[in-house]
């Protein structure tokens, strides 16, 4: 639609701007503020980095194999999209082209979901409060149950699990229900500040408590 085209054009012109481990493990070191110089192994990586979303979509049609190629830092194009908070239609198409990238860690130990939830990124498009919009297609589109459980056990910024993030950031109820269903024990886990997902729901009153109880 015309509105979507304008939004995509606006995102194309914007300037560019994780921790890991299991629920009981130590967080992996965050990517340093000064990134390694990227070597674009594919045109698709280049288009992702420049936020040229129309070219990304076209390149996926003409060279779908490039979605499965990693750059020098171990990043698939999906890592770029998550870090840069790309439009959802672009993320969904990239996931469909290479689902394994959803659970793949780059050389810094970060999956695309780590990048999507990293509130320390400086991207002008990286509104952390909207992190769930990136989590949604990454998690729901990915088909393998075991890997979904692993993702739900990962510790992200502030010691939070995906369920904490979804509750705090006002994700839709279907996504919260989906996360709670993948790994129910997440409701019993406290984040780095010592809070349960339910306690955030009580304090923030963002959701129907029956969904998390």
């Amino acid at each position: 639609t015309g509105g979507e085209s304008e939004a995509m054009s606006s995102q194309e012109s914007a300037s560019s701007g994780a921790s890991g481990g299991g629920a009981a493990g130590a967080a992996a070191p965050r990517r340093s503020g000064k990134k390694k110089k990227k070597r674009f192994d594919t045109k698709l990586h280049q288009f992702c980095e420049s936020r040229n979303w129309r070219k990304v979509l076209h390149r996926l049609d003409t060279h779908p194999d490039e979605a499965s190629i990693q750059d020098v830092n171990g990043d698939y194009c999906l890592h770029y999209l998550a870090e840069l908070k790309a439009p959802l239609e672009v993320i969904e198409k990239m996931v469909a082209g290479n689902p394994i990238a959803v659970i793949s860690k780059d050389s810094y130990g970060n999956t695309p979901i780590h990048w999507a939830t990293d509130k320390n990124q400086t991207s002008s498009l990286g509104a952390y409060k909207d992190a769930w919009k990136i989590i949604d297609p990454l998690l729901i589109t990915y088909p393998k149950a075991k890997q979904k459980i692993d993702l739900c056990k990962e510790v992200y910024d502030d010691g939070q699990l995906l369920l904490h993030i979804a509750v705090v950031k006002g994700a839709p109820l279907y996504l919260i229900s989906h996360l709670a269903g993948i790994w129910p024990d997440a409701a019993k886990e406290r984040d780095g500040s010592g809070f349960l997902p339910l306690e955030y729901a009580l304090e923030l009153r963002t959701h129907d408590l029956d969904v998390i109880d």
Side-chain angles (χ1 to χ4, degrees), residues 182-196:
I182 291 173
W183 188 47
D185 285 349
K188 304 173 185 176
E189 294 287 336
R190 298 185 180 277
D191 66 6
S193 299
F195 290 104
L196 298 169

Side-chain angles (χ1 to χ4, degrees), residues 113 135-145 147-149 151-152 162-163 166 171-184 186 211-212:
I113 290 181
I135 297 169
D136 193 344
L138 289 179
L139 194 63
I140 291 180
T141 306
Y142 193 71
K144 296 185 181 294
Q147 283 85 348
K148 282 187 177 183
I149 293 174
L151 289 173
C152 287
L162 288 181
L163 187 59
L173 297 182
Y174 74 83
L175 181 57
I176 292 177
S177 296
H178 185 68
L179 289 169
I182 291 173
W183 188 47
V211 175
I212 303 173

Side-chain angles (χ1 to χ4, degrees), residues 48-65:
C48 290
E49 177 72 7
S50 63
R51 291 197 176 96
N52 195 326
W53 308 130
R54 287 188 178 83
K55 286 190 176 181
V56 170
L57 290 171
H58 179 69
R59 191 72 179 180
L60 282 169
D61 287 333
T62 60
H63 296 76
D65 58 302

Side-chain angles (χ1 to χ4, degrees), residues 128 160 163-171 176 191 200 204 206-207:
Y128 181 68
Q160 293 187 331
L163 187 59
H164 290 99
I165 294 170
V167 172
V168 171
K169 303 307 173 185
I176 292 177
D191 66 6
Y200 279 118
L204 302 175
T206 53
H207 299 92

Side-chain angles (χ1 to χ4, degrees), residues 164 167 187 195-203 209-210 212-213:
H164 290 99
V167 172
F195 290 104
L196 298 169
L198 179 60
E199 291 171 333
Y200 279 118
L202 284 167
E203 180 180 353
L209 300 185
D210 289 340
I212 303 173
D213 194 5

